[in-house]
Amino acid sequence: MKGEERQDSMPHGKSPQRFYQHRAAVVVDIAVDPATLFEHLDDQAKLASHMMQSSAMMAGSSMKFTFDHDRGRMLGSRIGMHGKVLGLSLELSEIVTERDPPRRKAWETEGVPRLGSCG
């Protein structure tokens, strides 16, 4: 697997008016049919399953997910995440902004997320 990492100042996609201070991307070659890979990665519950499990990074806590009826698989679909760590509430809302199976899917954070980080 060959990877390439880069950081840019602007997001990729149809929303150039939104400025992100940091962005990271990794490009890899994977020996699988694009439709099969897209189907697997298009399932937000599978993609983020590690966040739904208790972890040391979350001080033993986990995140819970809420999905609209499209479950993050349609343009405009919404995904919510919430949880608590060390008594602090965490919350994040995302919206699917691009979806072109099996080539591309993009989503961005809606509103102001309530997140924390240390380190």
Side-chain angles (χ1 to χ4, degrees):
M1 194 181 300
K2 182 177 141 186
E4 169 191 313
E5 188 170 336
R6 66 179 183 258
Q7 290 193 346
D8 302 315
S9 296
M10 293 293 291
H12 185 279
K14 297 181 180 178
S15 302
Q17 73 276 6
R18 249 182 116 162
F19 178 78
Y20 294 94
Q21 189 167 3
H22 301 286
R23 178 179 179 266
V26 177
V27 178
V28 296
D29 292 321
I30 300 175
V32 68
D33 172 61
T36 302
L37 180 60
F38 191 91
E39 179 66 25
H40 178 76
L41 294 175
D42 195 31
D43 184 337
Q44 296 291 131
K46 284 182 186 175
L47 187 62
S49 65
H50 66 286
M51 295 172 63
M52 293 185 245
Q53 300 170 9
S54 176
S55 69
M57 183 182 285
M58 292 280 292
S61 299
S62 63
M63 298 292 282
K64 291 181 175 51
F65 283 70
T66 57
F67 299 98
D68 62 10
H69 73 283
D70 293 320
R71 301 196 53 79
R73 290 182 169 212
M74 297 295 291
L75 188 63
S77 188
R78 289 182 161 69
I79 303 146
M81 292 171 259
H82 64 279
K84 277 192 173 189
V85 62
L86 302 174
L88 300 172
S89 293
L90 306 176
E91 190 173 351
L92 176 69
S93 179
E94 297 177 332
I95 184 169
V96 176
T97 56
E98 292 180 56
R99 192 167 184 282
D100 181 22
R103 293 171 193 83
R104 180 169 171 74
K105 179 178 181 178
W107 58 92
E108 51 183 59
T109 302
E110 273 192 310
V112 179
R114 289 189 342 193
L115 301 173
S117 64
C118 297

